[in-house]
Amino acid sequence: MHIAITGNIGAGKTTLTQMLGQHYGWEALYEAVEGNPYLADFYKDMERWAFNLQIYFLNSRFAQVQRIRSLTYSTTIQDRTIYEDAFIFAKNLYDSGIMTQRDFDTYLMLFDTIIKAVQPPDLMIYLKADIPKLVHQIKKRGRDFEADISVDYLQNLNNYYEQFASKYDHGRMLVIDVNDMDFANNPDDFNSIIEMLNKELFYA
């Protein structure tokens, strides 16, 4: 199976991907954040680097999907999906005037070509978090390149995530409100996620 975790910056996707991978013995694939050659530059000058960053992420995600398809006999859990690249991040950059019409059109042409060769996840897990939770998590992990992320930027992304979740029709989606959760440090919170996930995986 292909399980994917979606959610805004700071929602806890990477941590939960790691924890679920360990719990179930799944192979975990992570977003290309560490070592990404554009991310730090993007947060300093979004207009200059928006297109470059989105192309990098799109290519990275497509490579992950190809790898997932090659792993015929194992279950994979993926940190963020290719759908978010286009429907949330690139769209937000375009609607905000950060990405030009020309770059957005070029990006969508490439995305439309790639998506024809992509199969959706068997299950999408959406980690729903409000701005205070996201800001707290971002500050807690202390990545230098995320220090200048604005609340307005996070709120815009949250709005797009809500739209994406409400219209998602590519397969099953499990929505988990993580505002009052600390699954990384509280075993009860993590166990509640396991219970919800087991119902989706084994009893749906």
Side-chain angles (χ1 to χ4, degrees), residues 157-168:
L157 292 179
N158 250 12
N159 294 339
Y160 284 109
Y161 267 106
E162 286 298 298
Q163 294 174 24
F164 172 71
S166 67
K167 297 178 181 178
Y168 183 75

Side-chain angles (χ1 to χ4, degrees), residues 108-120:
L108 286 182
M109 283 192 295
L110 180 58
F111 175 80
D112 288 342
T113 300
I114 288 176
I115 205 67
K116 293 174 184 176
V118 170
Q119 293 179 340

